[in-house]
Amino acid sequence: MVAAGRWMECRADLLAEGAKSLQLRLRDRFRVAAVDYHRRRNLRSANAGYLSSSVQRWLDRFSEFRRETLPSSSTFYRKRVSKDIDEEDESVLTRLVQAVAVPVLGNVCHVFMHGLNRVQIFGAEKLQQVVLHRPENKSLITVSNHVASMDDPLVISSLLPPSMLFDANGLRWTLCASDRCFKNPVTSAFFKSVKVLPVSRGDGIYQKGMDLAISKLNRGGWVHIFPEGSRSRNGGKTMGSAKRGIGRLVLDADNTPIVVPFVHTGMQEVMPVGAVFPRVGKTVTVLVGDPISFDDLISGGEDKNMSRGKLYDAVASRIGERLQKLKLQVEALAVEQALELEKYPSRVTERAARLLQKIDWESLGIGNYMGLDEKKDPSVEPSITQLYPKENSREERSFGGAGYSVGGGFVSRIRGYMDSTELTLFGARGLYRNHRSNEYFGSLRDVTPLKIWRSLYGHAYFHPNTGPI
């Protein structure tokens, strides 16, 4: 029994030592595996870093090689556009709708601007000449400042006569942001029917909307664009810089189009920021400039291997500078016209004097206004007896202290006291003394001869023989 107990103890010790030995082996084994795992991962990361750095180094060398060997290449390039890019969009039904909607909208805007507002246009013949008489395949681009949401079509329709507004095919195409004019199917159909092309903000100058505009130019059409890209934020006081998009329209068309600039002021009052409907009774001044030439830029850029992006910037810069100059001129013209409008009452007085001289006073029963002796030489001074008659003849009747001559008329009698021109100005001045430019014809009910006389000569009274006393 004792021997059996000792054997069991020895067996237990051997098992414990074996288990401990196995535990140590397993621990060592797992430690080795962990070390190998980290070593392999570090090796892979080192190899990946080497490969990525090598690839990046080769890419940098390739880019440098491109820049050195191809100086004219850049992110901007010439994208040719087919004339039939929008053939599917322009169906027969769309053209029929445009043939009706464009003339109607144009004439309504023309009547609104010239009938309910006052439009002063300088140089309109420059635009009309280009629209009517440019070559068949020569396209047209008009550029202008952007002040109000309805600059187009209100301003453009005011520049053209109604007869030209009936030609829907010859009128302009324009661009509008898709998030503004093409929000839903209804607005999309309306703006499409009045020749508006959608553009997406932030999609760059090579988007479909710009391609559609170039396709219109390639057909010899007319495209209107606002080079600023958006409306003025301060009511037209300043003008933003021209964007590259206008440069692409000019340079990427098959034939370089004619570019006609015009600038307007006063639309900020017709359509203020936040207004839903345009207002009436406002004054808008428009100045049309001479066409802008780009031949020197195009030829100079080709000779100097100028990149496409720089060419776009040069064209946009030239257009922006021309618009800035026209803006200063149109503001000066607007101020000048406002000052002329303040002098309008004096012109009304002169016109009234001329009208009074043309009245047939004999048909009114008071004799000839200019008298019977008007055919005499006006350089000859009237005699003293004509100016101051001593006494009335039997054929003359006394009326109100002044002689009423049956033969010579009322005015021929008082010509002895007042010259005809002075009498005309006297009447016209009294009627229009308090006239203002915004009140064309006031009420004449309160105008009496006594009030007119007092307004001219104070409280003096007139005596037939001695004059004012």
Side-chain angles (χ1 to χ4, degrees), residues 36-294:
D36 292 343
Y37 170 75
H38 287 295
R39 186 179 299 172
R40 291 175 182 176
R41 185 178 62 180
N42 294 335
L43 181 61
R44 285 198 302 268
S45 62
N47 293 335
Y50 175 77
L51 291 176
S52 62
S53 61
S54 300
V55 172
Q56 185 65 35
R57 186 166 55 254
W58 279 104
L59 290 176
D60 294 339
R61 288 181 181 180
F62 179 73
S63 300
E64 185 178 356
F65 171 77
R66 260 185 105 232
R67 286 194 299 269
E68 292 178 355
T69 57
L70 302 173
S72 61
S73 64
S74 66
T75 57
F76 299 96
Y77 59 95
R78 180 173 184 179
K79 182 180 179 181
R80 294 187 177 275
V81 179
S82 173
K83 297 180 180 180
D84 302 327
I85 188 175
D86 58 343
E87 195 173 30
E88 297 180 357
D89 296 335
E90 285 198 358
S91 61
V92 177
L93 180 60
T94 302
R95 294 179 183 179
L96 289 176
V97 174
Q98 290 176 354
V100 176
V102 173
V104 170
L105 179 64
N107 282 274
V108 169
C109 293
H110 183 89
V111 172
F112 175 82
M113 292 297 291
H114 288 276
L116 301 180
N117 294 278
R118 184 169 181 265
V119 184
Q120 305 172 122
I121 304 175
F122 300 90
E125 67 280 355
K126 299 176 183 178
L127 177 60
Q128 297 175 10
Q129 182 73 16
V130 174
V131 173
L132 292 177
H133 303 292
R134 70 181 187 273
E136 182 178 358
N137 295 326
K138 193 69 172 178
S139 57
L140 169 64
I141 296 178
T142 52
V143 292
S144 69
N145 58 328
H146 198 8
V147 178
S149 58
M150 295 188 67
D151 289 342
D152 181 13
L154 289 180
V155 177
I156 293 182
S157 62
S158 66
L159 296 176
L160 302 176
S163 59
M164 295 177 61
L165 296 175
F166 283 100
D167 183 16
N169 189 34
L171 293 180
R172 61 90 190 107
W173 291 87
T174 190
L175 305 175
C176 184
S178 56
D179 59 351
R180 181 176 179 84
C181 299
F182 296 85
K183 293 181 179 180
N184 51 65
V186 177
T187 59
S188 299
F190 171 76
F191 286 105
K192 187 176 181 180
S193 65
V194 292
K195 303 181 70 172
V196 178
L197 303 174
V199 291
S200 301
R201 302 180 191 269
D203 285 358
I205 63 175
Y206 294 104
Q207 59 177 288
K208 183 179 179 181
M210 297 293 292
D211 293 345
L212 291 175
I214 294 177
S215 69
K216 306 300 181 184
L217 295 174
N218 291 339
R219 294 182 184 178
W222 170 16
V223 174
H224 177 75
I225 188 173
F226 301 106
E228 299 172 82
S230 60
R231 285 178 293 171
S232 175
R233 301 302 179 185
N234 53 12
K237 295 180 180 179
T238 58
M239 185 184 302
S241 60
K243 301 298 188 294
R244 281 173 171 163
I246 182 60
R248 193 199 165 201
L249 291 182
V250 174
L251 296 177
D252 285 8
D254 292 344
N255 296 318
T256 303
I258 303 173
V259 180
V260 177
F262 65 88
V263 174
H264 55 84
T265 181
M267 283 300 297
Q268 64 273 12
E269 298 179 1
V270 176
M271 197 71 181
V273 177
V276 180
F277 299 101
R279 300 179 179 178
V280 299
K282 306 301 180 180
T283 301
V284 178
T285 306
V286 187
L287 175 62
V288 182
D290 296 324
I292 306 175
S293 176
F294 303 98

Side-chain angles (χ1 to χ4, degrees), residues 27-40:
R27 184 173 62 183
D28 293 340
R29 176 64 60 87
F30 282 113
R31 283 181 180 177
V32 172
V35 171
D36 292 343
Y37 170 75
H38 287 295
R39 186 179 299 172
R40 291 175 182 176

